[in-house]
Amino acid sequence: MPPLQGLAKQDGNQYLCIVKKLYIETYGCQMNVNDTEVVFAILAKYGYSRTEDIAEADVIMANTCSIRDNAEQRIWGRVDYFNTFRKAKPELRIGILGCMAERLKDALLDTGKVDIVAGPDAYRCLPDLLAAVSEGHPQMNVELSREETYGDISPVRIDRNGVSAFISIMRGCNNVCSYCVVPYTRGAERSRDYHTIVREACECAGNGYREITLLGQNVDSYEFEGVNFAKLLAMVAEALPGVRIRYSTSHPKDISDELIETMAAWPNICHQIHLPVQSGNNRILEKMRRRYTREWYFERVAKIRSVMPDCGISTDAIVGFCSETEEEFRDTLSIFEEVGYDSAYMFNYSERPGTLAARNYPDDIPIEVKTRRLNELIALQNRLSLESNRRDLGGVFEVLVEGPSKKDPADLCGRTGSGKMCVWRDAVHKPGDFVQVKVLDCTSATLLCELA
Ligand code: SAH
Ligand code: SF4
Ligand code: F3S
């Protein structure tokens, strides 16, 4: 009977409830956010309740990311900060979860600053690890699994607005792009049973959520007992009329016509695709092991736009990958220009130990060159985002209210189906409402609207 872990027997039949306070900071991708929600669910059964106040926590954890070196550097700083709370609370436990736990393993324990290290597939063991840990005896589980999907666990949602929920549909990645650490930190790709996905989506809708984002590193390779991603998406859309469905991330090599047509066929599937291009140059794409060409990528964008002319398209790109010449970088600028992305995440290449690129190609682009290229790309994307937003001036869009705008609480904010952030003056509506807004003005990041 698991809850007994959170109870201590007093005398006779009396139990004293010992609720421990658990604080978790989450870094990295949306899948990590969802994993944190799974960890809260697992530990809730053992008497750990969530706190957002680090000072009152009995257990402090960071769910970490290894995607770039600066992501890891940030965590080291947090570990030192977490340790400052030990003075006031000697029995405090500090845990490192997620991708950095998986990548660094013992090296984290060797610092003497961490009591628990748990990789992304080891969260069911957290109650045991916490029970076993004691002064001078840290605990670690970094086993990767071929089966674990946490499919049976209903995550404890940690977002504040209560409107938008993440559902992981798969874990791991088999693509092994040469620069990427994810296949090593998250292990082999596995798809979650679609019954549990649809059930969780229905639970979210029952709890008032109005938008669901299905998550995977490469959702296009979802496959469970003959159900592919397009079919899964249709299943969820059919089960939840009136709830918006989004997903992330598509891999350009795998995004299928069937998926694009399914998105167009269901009114509640949002017309938004995150399609990371990484580079616009074929030699670099090959060296990255992305397994598509610039021409293939264009053809996919053309297909998306022919079926859904209003589809928002965003991307990720890396600049300064090993041996990238100035001319090759210009190909990334030109693909951005030609596609005209609505938004983009752009990064300097960061060598990750153990990856194919780290083993085979020198990280030979000087940091000043990387940063100059990155700034050039960011400046271009700012212009493209502004141009994209200007095309919407005068248009009327349905948006889902997320809550008050950060800048001015008298304004509400929410997104269009294509993923653009809108703000408008509104004293009537509340989070979870769908409203029609008209675009009056814009910045490169936001559509400034009024109720239509
Ligand atoms: N599965 C997704 C990407 C996940 S990682 C996909 O395949 O598109 C998110 C983004 O981080 C990547 O799209 C890439 O642009 C960036 N990234 C990954 N590894 C990186 C590295 N070593 N250096 C810099 N950026 C990196
Ligand atoms: Fe990394 Fe490539 Fe997998 Fe994306 S598809 S997670 S970039 S290996
Ligand atoms: Fe980071 Fe791991 Fe996600 S490396 S981006 S948290 S899968």
Side-chain angles (χ1 to χ4, degrees):
M1 211 165 71
L4 284 180
Q5 290 250 341
L7 302 171
K9 205 164 186 185
Q10 255 187 338
D11 52 60
N13 293 326
Q14 285 209 312
Y15 285 88
L16 173 71
C17 186
I18 307 171
V19 177
K20 295 212 168 183
K21 300 268 186 204
L22 170 62
Y23 170 91
I24 308 183
E25 279 181 12
T26 308
Y27 296 85
C29 58
Q30 295 168 332
M31 302 199 69
N32 249 18
V33 175
N34 193 226
D35 279 6
T36 292
E37 297 176 331
V38 165
V39 170
F40 275 121
I42 289 170
L43 285 172
K45 289 205 179 117
Y46 289 79
Y48 290 88
S49 76
R50 179 184 177 210
T51 177
E52 291 179 71
D53 176 5
I54 191 168
E56 70 162 16
D58 301 294
V59 179
I60 300 175
M61 290 180 173
N63 191 3
T64 61
C65 175
S66 287
I67 201 84
R68 285 167 290 276
D69 184 56
N70 56 12
E72 290 197 353
Q73 292 312 323
R74 216 167 141 204
I75 307 287
W76 285 117
R78 295 309 286 168
V79 169
D80 287 336
Y81 174 64
F82 296 163
N83 273 272
T84 62
F85 291 91
R86 286 199 204 265
K87 270 197 205 104
K89 203 179 257 184
E91 70 288 4
L92 176 71
R93 303 296 180 220
I94 296 175
I96 297 294
L97 313 178
C99 290
M100 203 171 154
E102 193 62 48
R103 195 178 86 73
L104 295 175
K105 302 181 173 67
D106 301 284
L108 281 163
L109 294 185
D110 293 345
T111 62
K113 298 174 180 173
V114 171
D115 305 298
I116 292 202
V117 171
D121 290 343
Y123 299 149
R124 285 182 205 268
C125 292
L126 279 171
D128 291 342
L129 297 177
L130 279 163
V133 76
S134 61
E135 191 70 44
H137 296 283
Q139 300 290 315
M140 176 166 82
N141 186 335
V142 287
E143 288 281 303
L144 285 173
S145 156
R146 291 192 165 269
E147 288 92 38
E148 182 61 271
T149 61
Y150 301 110
D152 56 314
I153 293 174
S154 295
V156 173
R157 307 277 164 203
I158 58 174
D159 66 309
R160 277 154 224 274
N161 65 18
V163 169
S164 186
F166 295 141
I167 300 184
S168 295
I169 62 163
M170 57 207 294
R171 299 182 71 81
C173 184
N174 284 352
N175 283 313
V176 198
C177 301
S178 64
Y179 52 80
C180 185
V181 77
V182 171
Y184 307 93
T185 60
R186 293 253 164 188
E189 181 183 292
R190 67 222 93 125
S191 295
R192 177 175 168 189
D193 183 337
Y194 57 82
H195 298 94
T196 70
I197 296 171
V198 174
R199 194 201 61 213
E200 189 178 328
C202 293
E203 270 172 27
C204 289
N207 290 331
Y209 287 89
R210 287 288 158 263
E211 180 172 84
I212 278 162
T213 305
L214 304 178
L215 299 176
Q217 292 297 355
N218 176 7
V219 292
D220 310 272
S221 58
Y222 177 89
E223 152 75 45
F224 191 90
E225 290 175 355
V227 172
N228 64 13
F229 182 60
K231 297 206 168 57
L232 173 71
L233 201 55
M235 251 183 224
V236 177
E238 185 176 13
L240 301 178
V243 173
R244 280 181 166 185
I245 319 294
R246 298 184 192 273
Y247 67 87
S248 187
T249 301
S250 277
H251 195 302
K253 79 176 161 59
D254 294 323
I255 186 167
S256 66
D257 289 357
E258 186 192 2
L259 173 59
I260 296 167
E261 279 148 17
T262 303
M263 289 176 72
W266 290 90
N268 54 338
I269 302 179
C270 290
H271 291 185
Q272 179 190 19
I273 299 183
H274 186 58
L275 199 65
V277 67
Q278 312 300 1
S279 164
N281 175 269
N282 283 341
R283 188 185 74 89
I284 295 294
L285 283 171
E286 192 179 345
K287 212 164 170 166
M288 288 177 161
R289 261 185 112 255
R290 287 293 284 180
R291 290 174 287 170
Y292 53 82
T293 59
R294 179 184 174 101
E295 293 71 28
W296 169 272
Y297 187 92
F298 270 134
E299 189 281 323
R300 292 289 75 197
V301 169
K303 174 73 190 182
I304 293 164
R305 294 225 162 110
S306 74
V307 178
M308 294 177 287
D310 61 341
C311 190
I313 302 182
S314 56
T315 201
D316 295 344
I318 298 174
V319 304
F321 185 61
C322 315
S323 81
E324 181 189 67
T325 65
E326 207 55 34
E327 221 184 337
E328 288 166 336
F329 164 64
R330 305 258 137 226
D331 287 339
T332 301
L333 292 173
S334 73
I335 206 167
F336 268 55
E337 188 91 60
E338 284 171 51
V339 173
Y341 293 111
D342 298 296
S343 62
Y345 296 97
M346 297 152 281
F347 311 102
N348 278 348
Y349 170 60
S350 168
E351 185 178 82
R352 308 314 293 131
T355 56
L356 291 175
R359 281 183 274 149
N360 295 309
Y361 315 126
D363 178 14
D364 54 1
I365 307 300
I367 181 68
E368 312 79 62
V369 176
K370 284 180 183 170
T371 301
R372 198 248 306 137
R373 289 180 188 170
L374 182 63
N375 287 335
E376 214 175 314
L377 190 60
I378 291 171
L380 168 60
Q381 183 53 47
N382 282 340
R383 171 166 68 74
L384 295 174
S385 298
L386 185 61
E387 284 172 12
S388 159
N389 284 350
R390 283 200 178 131
R391 286 193 289 275
D392 291 335
L393 291 179
V396 173
F397 296 92
E398 184 179 70
V399 298
L400 172 60
V401 181
E402 289 180 12
S405 130
K406 275 189 203 115
K407 272 203 188 134
D408 184 346
D411 289 344
L412 289 179
C413 70
R415 287 179 194 278
T416 64
S418 68
K420 289 185 178 176
M421 182 54 85
C422 299
V423 296
W424 67 98
R425 187 56 44 110
D426 191 336
V428 180
H429 295 98
K430 54 184 193 316
D433 288 346
F434 286 100
V435 299
Q436 301 283 326
V437 298
K438 184 172 179 189
V439 184
L440 304 176
D441 198 358
C442 66
T443 66
S444 61
T446 313
L447 300 179
L448 310 169
C449 309
E450 66 177 8
L451 282 170

